[in-house]
Each structure stands twice: as C-alpha cells, then as structure tokens.
Amino acid sequence: MKAGILRALRRWLRDTGGNVAVMLALALVPLSLAALGAVDVQRVVSTKSELQDALDAAALTAARDSVADPTKLQEFGAAAFAANIRDTRLTIVSGPTFTLTNERVVVADASARVGDTILAKFALGSDFTVNAHAEVNSSGANVEVSMVLDLTDSMDAAVPGCTSKIACLKTAATNLIDLVVQDNQTPFYSKMAIVPYSYAVDVDAYASVVRGSPASSFSFTGADNQPKTFHLSDCVTERTGAHAYTDAPVTTAYVGRHYTVSGTCLNAPVSPLSSDKAALKARVASFDTAGSTAGQIGLAWGWYLVSPTFMGGWQNVNSRPAPYGTDKLMKFVVLMTDGMFNTVYCKGVKAQNSLGGSGGSNEKINCNSENGLPFDQATSLCNAIKARGIIIYTVLLDVSDPAAVAFMRSCATDSARVYLPTTGGQLKDAFASIGADITKLRLSR
C-alpha cells in the first residue's frame, strides 16, 4: 500500500513539475521579504532601545543636577548623553535637546538612524529613523545615604575583572558617590555617610561619646582557658540589652566597647553624613583590608549615621540627619559584603560562639554573645531599619552560600534591591544601578 502511494506521487510530480517550480518560486518571494523585514524590525527595535536608554539616563543626570539655566541644562544633558552612547553604534540624526518646563519637568528628545536596513532603504530610499522622548520630574527631595562596606581579609581575593575585590569596590563606591551626591546642593541636599567594617567598626574620635569611657584594659579567661589582658581600642561592637536593635540616643544606651591584644583597631573610621564629594572619595581611596566579618555591627552603624535619634546633638550640625518623616526626605542604607557574617562579641571581646573564620580561641573570651549569632542579629536590625521607612539595598559579592543569599534577600526592602554580582564588572553595575534607582526615587518624590 505504502509503495503504491509513493509511485503515484512520483508520477504526479513528473506530470506537474513545471507548475511546482513556478509555485515554489512565487512562494519564495513573500518568504524572502518576510525574512528581510524581520531583520529590519530587529535592527529598529535594537536601535530604539539603545537610544531610549541613553536619553533616559541623560535626562536623569540633567534633572538630578537641578539646573535651571537653559544653557547649562543642555550642556550637562548633552555631555551625559554622549557618555552613554560612547560604546554604542548609534548614528544620531538630531538632538539631543533638553528643556525645562514651568512645572520643573526636564524634557529630552533625540533621533537616530537605523543603519544597514534592507527593505526600508528600498522602499524609502534611505535608512529608517527612530525617535526617543524622555521626561523627568526635577522637583526632587533631600537624600541621606549610608554605604556599609566590607573591608575584611577576603576582599583581597581576585574575582573576574578585578585584581582584588577591594580594588573594584573602591571604584564602585566612588561612582556611587558621584551619582548620589550632587554638585548643586540647592534647593535639595544629597549627603552620604560611609561605614567601613570588618571585625568591628572604627569610630575614632567618637569612641568615648558612643561607648563611654570603660577601663583601658580588661583581664579575662580566654576560650582557650588561658588568662589574658586586652586593651581598649577606638572600635565599637554590638549594642546589648533592651536597645540592642533600636536607634535610641547614645545617652540612653551605649554601644559595645572593643578590646584587642594591642588595643589597635581597623584604622578605617566611619564618615558621618557629608556632601563633600572629595572628602568622601578620599576616605574610600584610603581603604585597606583586615580581619573577620562582623556585618551586623556595620549594618547597625549604617542605620545610626542616618538616624536623627541616635546621632542626636553630639554630632556636627552639618552631619546631623534630618528627623524621620520630614517632608521631601528619603533615607537609604546600602549593605555590601563578600562573605558570611562570623564574628560576635561578649564583654567587648570576640565571643567563643563566633563562627568559622573569626580567629582562633586565643583571640576569644570564654562566654557567648548576648545577642546571639551574627545573621540573627543582622535580621533584627534589618527589620528595625525598614520599620523606620529607610530603604535598604543589599550587595553580596561572589558568594553562593544559601544562608548568606537568603539573608541578603530578606534584608533588602524588596527583591528589586538585591544584587548578587560574581565579577568586578557586575559589582560596578550593581552600584551604578543603585545610584540610578536612588536618583529616580529622589526625582519622583
């Protein structure tokens, strides 16, 4: 039966061969046009997307700088647009133009040629042109941002795109300063604080204010059952007791003291809120690495430096955070780490229940942390910070440990503010994305 059907089909093809060839030729025409049209459409979509992204970013930059002068607005916007298209193959036909409406909306327009089109050039006699339009509200808000940055020993390691993680972190953090802190501080200010951390947080000249004046040395029995005497440093550790996870004033509850064998500390002090970009960048450039990871202490200080209640009246007036609930005000904490939090304290010394990687028993006291394990402490702090209306971003560099990933996801304000980079380039992109998001939120306020 099957063989008979095949023989009949062969006879039909011999009898109608000419017609089939004509039919196939006719069918190829629309198929070819469709294929060529699909190529053109893809090029149009790609060009339109690149143009729109570049114009959106340039409009945000122009609006961020709160420029009311039309000449400067155009100058700043065009410079930002040129920087954004530098690595693209866009051929600009017109624009970009930037204008400010009476309602303080920056309006931007630009056009670009879609190169290498086939059907469009045949039908129109020229390449296709696409347009982009962007509008950004420049009414704005005041911004206070705290960067909490990991300076532990593991940050010396290399990742793809970085000779060391700390080198790429310095670049990423410097870029975030440029994105967030405006050159023009009127009518709205934008300030940033920096909290470097590793086994503790260095508060330098503020130490006696925030932890009081405890004894300059402390004798105890170590986790190795040997007698020891450690000396007071300018670093601080966890707050304990009823205010362990609050931002109550230091006059209500001191933070924890810190003792080491030598009495030395991290040598990377915190920087309170400031709009001095040069000083902030210099602090980042001075970073060096040392020690284990007490991320919960860094996170607490990220909160404290944007907290009007903790900072109270003891801080310089220019670094004093504005009260919660102030109209046209937004507060942010950016938490970055490259590992598991592993170091907790008892009586100002590393506790014996600190986790692996926190040092040997000869560095620890023979008691457990009052506040429990580091990620548990950090989770309580994250919840308290978010309850104050502060937006949290988390950045976890080159770590796949499920516990660390789960913590960073739960700590962030939402899933869109969690970043899990594995390369130096992705780390820089994460900080750039955070800067763009903060700018958008500030301008839409």
Side-chain angles (χ1 to χ4, degrees):
M1 181 70 167
K2 182 178 179 181
I5 293 173
L6 288 173
R7 285 194 297 273
L9 180 58
R10 290 191 194 103
R11 286 196 301 271
W12 181 82
L13 286 171
R14 284 196 299 271
D15 293 341
T16 61
N19 291 335
V20 169
V22 171
M23 292 167 62
L24 286 173
L26 291 173
L28 284 174
V29 173
L31 289 173
S32 299
L33 290 173
L36 294 173
V39 172
D40 278 5
V41 168
Q42 191 277 330
R43 286 172 177 155
V44 168
V45 170
S46 176
T47 303
K48 171 75 172 177
S49 177
E50 287 186 356
L51 181 65
Q52 190 66 57
D53 287 347
L55 192 66
D56 286 345
L60 279 170
T61 299
R64 186 195 69 185
D65 289 322
S66 303
V67 178
D69 181 282
T71 302
K72 289 185 177 180
L73 178 67
Q74 179 65 32
E75 178 185 332
F76 289 0
F81 183 77
N84 282 300
I85 67 168
R86 186 173 297 133
D87 296 325
T88 71
R89 292 184 295 177
L90 291 174
T91 301
I92 304 303
V93 175
S94 64
T97 60
F98 298 87
T99 57
L100 186 67
T101 70
N102 291 334
E103 291 76 29
R104 296 191 59 78
V105 175
V106 173
V107 178
D109 290 282
S111 300
R113 180 178 296 112
V114 181
D116 300 325
T117 57
I118 300 171
L119 286 183
K121 185 173 288 186
F122 175 78
L124 302 175
S126 64
D127 287 321
F128 199 76
T129 298
V130 294
N131 303 311
H133 178 82
E135 295 186 9
V136 177
N137 187 335
S138 65
S139 56
N142 297 312
V143 170
E144 297 174 356
V145 181
S146 187
M147 278 199 300
V148 183
L149 305 177
D150 188 336
L151 299 193
T152 54
D153 278 336
S154 58
M155 289 293 291
D156 278 328
V159 292
C162 294
T163 54
S164 67
K165 297 176 185 176
I166 189 65
C168 279
L169 176 61
K170 288 180 180 182
T171 301
T174 298
N175 290 343
L176 185 57
I177 293 169
D178 277 330
L179 286 167
V180 169
V181 182
Q182 304 169 60
D183 293 326
N184 187 350
Q185 290 290 312
T186 57
F188 301 102
Y189 70 78
S190 49
K191 297 180 180 181
M192 183 171 284
I194 303 174
V195 183
Y197 73 91
S198 64
Y199 50 81
V201 169
D202 183 357
V203 294
D204 197 25
Y206 306 122
S208 61
V209 178
V210 300
R211 52 115 164 103
S213 300
S216 59
S217 62
F218 177 43
S219 297
F220 60 94
T221 301
D224 58 0
N225 293 317
Q226 299 299 311
K228 302 180 186 300
T229 297
F230 282 10
H231 302 279
L232 188 66
S233 84
D234 286 338
C235 275
V236 290
T237 60
E238 298 107 331
R239 207 176 206 178
T240 58
H243 292 290
Y245 308 115
T246 77
D247 61 342
V250 294
T251 51
T252 300
Y254 286 135
V255 300
R257 59 198 185 276
H258 180 250
Y259 291 102
T260 66
V261 174
S262 62
T264 56
C265 188
L266 183 60
N267 196 30
V270 299
S271 296
L273 284 172
S274 172
S275 57
D276 186 339
K277 294 171 75 168
L280 291 168
K281 290 179 183 181
R283 180 54 53 87
V284 169
S286 71
F287 286 167
D288 202 355
T289 57
S292 55
T293 312
Q296 74 281 5
I297 304 174
L299 178 62
W301 275 87
W303 181 15
Y304 297 160
L305 292 187
V306 294
S307 164
T309 55
F310 181 87
M311 298 299 281
W314 60 268
Q315 182 50 253
N316 180 290
V317 65
N318 293 323
S319 297
R320 202 170 296 162
Y324 293 123
T326 299
D327 188 39
K328 297 289 185 181
L329 171 68
M330 304 193 76
K331 295 176 184 275
F332 303 86
V333 170
V334 180
L335 171 64
M336 179 273 160
T337 186
D338 81 326
M340 301 286 289
F341 296 174
N342 56 24
T343 303
V344 290
Y345 285 83
C346 177
K347 301 177 183 178
V349 180
K350 286 183 182 179
Q352 65 182 3
N353 65 328
S354 293
L355 305 178
S358 60
S361 59
N362 62 316
E363 300 178 37
K364 299 172 183 174
I365 193 171
N366 66 341
C367 60
N368 290 335
S369 166
E370 291 183 45
N371 291 357
L373 296 177
F375 273 156
D376 294 338
Q377 293 188 44
T379 297
S380 296
L381 285 165
C382 292
N383 293 336
I385 293 168
K386 289 184 285 190
R388 284 293 202 178
I390 299 170
I391 295 173
I392 301 178
Y393 299 88
T394 58
V395 183
L396 181 62
L397 174 60
D398 195 34
V399 176
S400 58
D401 185 279
V405 173
F407 163 71
M408 296 298 263
R409 291 190 186 281
S410 68
C411 181
T413 293
D414 54 49
S415 59
R417 295 183 170 93
V418 181
Y419 296 87
L420 306 173
T422 58
T423 69
Q426 290 174 2
L427 177 66
K428 295 171 189 175
D429 289 345
F431 274 68
S433 177
I434 291 168
D437 193 54
I438 291 173
T439 298
K440 289 178 184 176
L441 289 170
R442 183 184 73 81
L443 294 176
S444 63
R445 188 71 175 195

